[in-house]
Amino acid sequence: MSEMLSLDFMRNALLAALCVGLVAPMVGIFLVQRRLSLVGDGIGHVALAGVAVGVATRGSPVWSALLAATLAAVLIEVLRARGRTSGDMALALMFYGGIAAGVVIINRAEGAQTGNLTGFLFGSITTTTRGELILFAVLSALIAGTVLLLRQRLFAVAGDEEYARASGLPVLALNITLGVLTAITVVVAMRVIGLLLISALMIVPNAAAQQLAGSFRAASWWAVGLGVVASVGGVSASYQLDTAAGGTVVLLAIALFAVATTVGSLRRALARARHRHAERHLHEHGPGCGHEAVSHGDHVDYLHDGHRHAAHEGHYDEHAHGPQPPPEDSGRVGHEVTR
Amino acid sequence: MPVSTAPVLELHRAAFGYRGRAVVTDVDLTVHRGEVLAVLGPNGSGKTTLVTGLLGLSEHLSGEVTVLGTPLARLRDRTRVGYVPQRHTLTGGVRATVTEVVTTGLLSGLPWWRPPGRRERAAVDAALEAVGLADRARFDVETLSGGQQRRVLIARALVARPEVLVMDEPTAGVDRASQLVLAGVLHRLGEAGTTMLVVTHELTALRGIVDRIVEVESGHLTFDGTPEGYAVHQGELARAAGRGPGVLSPTADGAVR
Ligand SMILES: [Zn+2]
Ligand SMILES: [Zn+2]
Ligand SMILES: [Zn+2]
Ligand SMILES: [Zn+2]
């Protein structure tokens, strides 16, 4: 570990991985919410064309990639807002055109050797320069700050665009903002995991977080935590195991997803076993419903035919204390929980 | 409640549609403060296009539309018109709590840099109390029943204290326990003087709440009057249909224009 940290390029690599692990899931949760999980992939394809132009003109591939990705992201939102069915085809043309143009231009500029091309497609974290690292850190701070400021509005628009529009939120502006954030994330992640695998780090930690969290807020933080573990852990592992960093990061994220799914379903099974619903409950309790309310820890139980009923998700739970009425006392099939 | 004689909604020869194509045309309608309207009509009749037009979701193509005294195109503060859409997913592809969903109803009333604070949380609690969901505030909306989810949408519309509430099929596909609570919620809102436009198929669920009925068929208003008048209108239609095989014109007897 200390040997790894003593290497200059590995320190840079780990810091870059930290940036990516933080911001990719932060932006990705809104893509998952909009059911546009693959859009990051498409923007990555177009970014390759930008990289190629940078390489061919001996300029900076990072800046040209940023420009291409941002333009693509804005165009996607404009096409989506127009809502034409031909928009889908236009996106396909743009995505495949981007990657094809990227490959052709890079090969033309660099001859037959495709080392550089592979580096951009699958990541080449150890070649990250100090200047690039600073740029990535600044861009990551920009992404994180914007998401933290606008997360509720992005959540509202991604969750129910029609309602957001009716309530007067600037829907197109927020969608374009999310698109630009996605584009910047793609470019920041380009060195660490490569343009073909970027989408995975935006999506997979969020898929895992959805298994563990019960609210949007909690899910966002879980996703960031899992993203950092996957990216920093993956880069360290790739050094120890001498494997490709980008692929290792993504495989680790998928392994975390598998663990989260298992933990999530175990937890749900345990919760099911530990409590019973009041079945066929055709009444909704509330203030003035006619049943006495008694406080019970952090919630209220309603006394209902000798049972204590507490709201849980879409049903009522049986919360029992003291003597239990005989089950044939009511038509309800309900058991008691001990909490 | 401030007594105001100015109508809440005033439509004169208004047409609404999508992509420049009119779906509902020639609508004359005046709604006063505190009125509760049921908007009836078969699927595809244009009733949803009409009410969503008032929210800026379908295009206002011609005629005059005044909402709360302001021409529709110049209505800045959209939170004055609350909207309860008919839909099945509330949050897209992620988990979110009831509170998180209801809070989104307040966002457009806040400056863009300001996150919801203590005052907004109190408003959310009050809205949840009003729809009987206070004890389910922290649960994932996807785990709630259909009727409870519908009430989440009503709370989201109520949280910004709108002057008019537009609801699209609030009682469709709702279980009986929720149906009762929902009717109670709508009743209380009506009592409190909230102006409501309720698109619906099920007039029975709204008995005693609605005081005016508007019927839309094939893109035109074909009835506008009291519930009693509507029963008469329907009886006439049934008789006319029973009398002969002729196709009934949508603007047949009973239409008030
Ligand atoms: Zn009760
Ligand atoms: Zn209890
Ligand atoms: Zn009960
Ligand atoms: Zn339960």
Side-chain angles (χ1 to χ4, degrees), chain A residues 281 283 285 302 304 309 316 332:
Chain A
H281 196 284
H283 165 83
H285 295 294
Y302 287 90
H304 192 175
H309 287 169
Y316 284 96
R332 203 181 310 109

Side-chain angles (χ1 to χ4, degrees), chain B:
Chain B
M1 202 191 81
V3 181
S4 159
T5 46
V8 170
L9 299 172
E10 214 170 357
L11 283 75
H12 181 59
R13 301 186 63 83
F16 298 95
Y18 297 98
R19 300 195 192 302
R21 196 172 307 148
V23 175
V24 50
T25 53
D26 224 14
V27 179
D28 284 315
L29 185 68
T30 304
V31 178
H32 291 278
R33 205 164 280 273
E35 279 192 295
V36 181
L37 269 76
V39 182
L40 307 179
N43 282 334
S45 62
K47 58 186 196 298
T48 296
T49 309
L50 170 62
V51 297
T52 54
L54 302 172
L55 298 152
L57 295 177
S58 67
E59 288 168 41
H60 171 206
L61 296 168
S62 65
E64 288 149 38
V65 180
T66 310
V67 178
L68 298 161
T70 311
L72 181 59
R74 283 198 275 124
L75 185 69
R76 282 280 166 276
D77 188 2
R78 294 261 173 209
T79 55
R80 295 175 70 191
V81 184
Y83 176 43
V84 181
Q86 182 194 18
R87 58 167 50 232
H88 303 287
T89 144
L90 285 70
T91 62
V94 297
R95 281 174 208 285
T97 65
V98 171
T99 302
E100 285 173 326
V101 172
V102 173
T103 305
T104 62
L106 285 169
L107 296 175
S108 75
L110 294 174
W112 64 271
W113 41 265
R114 230 197 88 192
R118 184 195 304 259
R119 182 138 51 97
E120 283 72 30
R121 278 195 294 276
V124 169
D125 291 345
L128 288 175
E129 197 79 54
V131 301
L133 285 175
D135 48 4
R136 301 190 198 269
R138 65 202 160 89
F139 298 123
D140 178 0
V141 284
E142 295 296 327
T143 64
L144 302 190
S145 73
Q148 290 163 346
Q149 293 191 3
R150 214 58 65 85
R151 275 143 59 201
V152 172
L153 296 182
I154 295 179
R156 181 178 68 175
L158 286 179
V159 71
R161 302 189 155 279
E163 292 163 62
V164 193
L165 206 49
V166 173
M167 294 189 248
D168 198 355
E169 301 278 8
T171 56
V174 166
D175 58 283
R176 221 169 55 85
S178 263
Q179 183 98 239
L180 285 174
V181 180
L182 207 53
V185 169
L186 297 181
H187 198 86
R188 277 199 302 280
L189 289 173
E191 300 271 89
T194 311
T195 313
M196 288 188 270
L197 258 72
V198 189
V199 173
T200 188
H201 272 105
E202 302 158 318
L203 210 46
T204 43
L206 299 171
R207 184 168 293 147
I209 300 166
V210 169
D211 42 40
R212 184 171 159 196
I213 288 173
V214 167
E215 183 190 63
V216 184
E217 251 189 82
S218 331
H220 296 278
L221 284 200
T222 48
F223 179 83
D224 181 351
T226 61
E228 297 74 32
Y230 186 67
V232 174
H233 165 72
Q234 280 201 310
E236 279 166 4
L237 286 191
R239 264 201 307 286
R243 204 181 299 146
V247 180
L248 205 64
S249 128
T251 52
D253 5 359
V256 178
R257 281 172 167 267

